[in-house]
Amino acid sequence: MVTPSKRRKASQETKKKEIIMSTRATYEFISLVSSFEPTVVVYRHYDGYPEGAADWLKDVRTAEDFIRKNTEASITQSHDVHGDTDYRYIVTRGHKGSVDIVAKQRIVYDQVDRWIVIFNGSAEEFQRHYSREGAAA
């Protein structure tokens, strides 16, 4: 018989597993400001879900900013090099200081990977929508 205390304990253990679960993501940084700035793709092994990405992308404008803030991230060749990622983020820095983010999530349907856009807008909107601070407000 499953008692309420056993159910509670199982729920707590499930939450613990979710916290340490790896959610891999790649972040592509594109600059429209300068043709001399290369496009850079960065890989992060965990916290790639949108709420985690919001933490890592807060106040980030370039790949250099991202890597300084996140020492466990590594530069990689492209999104496609990592076949096990769940999310892709494209961060575009435009003229006049604008930063836009496109977030995509991998969906597997009939054994075929599809990338669906789950967010397309400004970095500020992304923070308001996904950050833990924005969600609390």
Side-chain angles (χ1 to χ4, degrees), residues 22-108:
S22 296
T23 306
R24 297 163 182 86
T26 50
Y27 301 78
E28 181 176 12
F29 293 88
I30 301 168
S31 173
L32 302 178
V33 177
S34 170
S35 60
F36 295 108
E37 285 186 61
T39 294
V40 177
V41 180
V42 179
Y43 172 77
R44 181 161 165 79
H45 187 73
Y46 60 91
D47 286 346
Y49 50 90
E51 295 81 3
D55 289 343
W56 294 114
L57 289 171
K58 185 174 183 177
D59 300 323
V60 166
R61 303 178 58 70
T62 65
E64 187 177 4
D65 292 343
F66 187 83
I67 291 168
R68 275 194 192 123
K69 186 174 185 176
N70 178 5
T71 58
E72 295 174 5
S74 58
I75 295 174
T76 189
Q77 197 171 27
S78 72
H79 289 294
D80 297 325
V81 170
H82 300 276
D84 61 349
T85 55
D86 297 301
Y87 294 92
R88 292 178 174 175
Y89 300 93
I90 302 164
V91 181
T92 305
R93 186 166 54 102
H95 300 283
K96 299 182 182 177
S98 66
V99 177
D100 293 315
I101 297 174
V102 175
K104 297 180 179 182
Q105 182 179 14
R106 178 196 307 263
I107 302 296
V108 179

